[in-house]
Amino acid sequence: MIEHHSPTPLYHRIYAVMRERIIKGYYRSDTPVPSEAELAESFSVSRITIRRAMEMLTMEGLVTRARGRGTFITDRSNENELNRAVVSNVNGLFRYLNAVGESTRLKVVSLDVGEAPPRICAQMGLPPTAELVRAVRVRSLDRRPYSLSIAYLLPEIGGTLKRNDLATTNMIDLVQQAGAVVEQVEQTLTATLADDYAAKHLDIPVGAPLMLVNRLFFNAELKPFYAAEIFYCADRYEYRVSLKREDGKDFALGN
């Protein structure tokens, strides 16, 4: 039963619960999910409320409605290879980025020069009003938005970028073609929510859960020259790390 005393609309709370169930594999893909009447009884709400929640799931591509057959979980098996990549070093990251590039399509949203956000300037060790080249792109997988990436680059590197190249080539390849040497990459993963900008380009509701991957690229002098913020729909992205014990590096926990 859904708690009714909340400022969040009831249909949106049911949408969030259903979305989590779908992502966690609560429903089988070869059988229809419960009907609107069954869900209305389960959640103790009206069918209209359930219908609005299901419409949001349909718009997001998580479910598919088949007339006369019911509503089914959308098959996302083609995404598994990208979603479950294991990255352990810079070369592994490059291999992963190449695999993503081969499996997705790019759309360039914008390419411009302007004052960078304070958080990016702080990451790159630049003055708060520094100007950087900004490139915004959307990747699509199976005709659905897969990620929204915002790249910030020093002018001496980003100034060589061309819009046509951005539509066909991985950014990491473009910056190396511009003469940059990637010596080190720092990466952080954070859970966040879609604002109006991300929601628009990823075709999801405002407030939908996202995974934010922030990457900071360092040159041969270990100075940052490129920062990237990549937003992934939470149900389409999974990051895995494999940890192995090193020979001769065993240690014992203290008492």
Side-chain angles (χ1 to χ4, degrees):
M1 181 178 294
I2 291 289
E3 174 57 54
H4 289 255
H5 300 291
S6 170
T8 305
L10 187 56
Y11 71 87
H12 196 281
R13 281 178 278 151
I14 292 174
Y15 149 79
V17 172
M18 291 294 294
R19 190 181 194 281
E20 184 70 9
R21 287 181 176 181
I22 291 170
I23 293 171
K24 298 297 185 183
Y26 189 93
Y27 300 111
R28 291 174 51 181
S29 60
D30 57 347
T31 57
V33 301
S35 66
E36 289 182 358
E38 292 171 324
L39 289 172
E41 181 179 358
S42 174
F43 286 107
S44 299
V45 298
S46 70
R47 290 184 62 173
I48 294 176
T49 299
I50 294 296
R51 188 171 298 123
R52 293 190 66 180
M54 297 305 292
E55 286 173 352
M56 292 178 68
L57 293 170
T58 302
M59 290 176 59
E60 200 171 339
L62 293 176
V63 298
T64 303
R65 295 185 174 188
R67 185 179 297 275
R69 297 181 57 227
T71 301
F72 293 81
I73 304 303
T74 304
D75 181 18
R76 302 195 306 277
S77 58
N78 289 338
E79 302 171 12
N80 288 345
E81 184 176 348
L82 296 183
N83 293 354
R84 299 177 180 176
V86 177
V87 178
S88 58
N89 52 38
V90 171
N91 289 334
L93 174 63
F94 287 3
R95 286 193 295 271
Y96 167 72
L97 295 176
N98 285 331
V100 171
E102 292 172 359
S103 304
T104 58
R105 298 186 64 181
L106 276 169
K107 181 181 77 172
V108 180
V109 176
S110 63
L111 174 62
D112 52 37
V113 180
E115 189 173 304
R119 66 182 184 280
I120 298 297
C121 292
Q123 288 177 28
M124 300 182 69
L126 300 172
T129 57
E131 289 197 342
L132 297 175
V133 175
R134 186 183 75 153
V136 181
R137 302 187 294 177
V138 173
R139 285 191 180 275
S140 295
L141 177 65
D142 296 334
R143 300 183 179 181
R144 290 175 51 210
Y146 176 72
S147 67
L148 168 67
S149 64
I150 306 175
Y152 299 92
L153 303 105
L154 294 179
E156 55 266 34
I157 300 298
T160 65
L161 298 178
K162 305 297 180 184
R163 198 178 177 99
N164 289 342
D165 294 332
L166 286 171
T168 59
T169 310
N170 287 338
M171 183 66 76
I172 195 62
D173 292 329
L174 293 175
V175 298
Q176 291 182 106
Q177 290 171 16
V181 175
V182 181
E183 183 65 27
Q184 180 176 312
V185 183
E186 291 183 358
Q187 178 170 275
T188 59
L189 288 80
T190 310
T192 187
L193 300 175
D195 60 12
D196 55 342
Y197 187 80
K200 172 185 175 182
H201 292 293
L202 291 174
D203 196 20
I204 55 176
V206 172
L210 295 175
M211 179 64 74
L212 168 60
V213 178
N214 183 286
R215 295 191 183 110
L216 190 61
F217 294 78
F218 296 79
N219 61 18
E221 289 75 40
L222 295 183
K223 293 182 179 180
F225 69 91
Y226 163 31
E229 294 182 326
I230 309 100
F231 298 86
Y232 295 92
C233 298
D235 63 302
R236 307 194 81 196
Y237 185 80
E238 176 180 310
Y239 189 85
R240 302 175 69 196
V241 177
S242 179
L243 303 176
K244 297 181 180 180
R245 183 187 299 275
E246 293 183 66
D247 293 338
K249 299 293 184 178
D250 295 348
F251 65 93
L253 295 176
N255 295 327

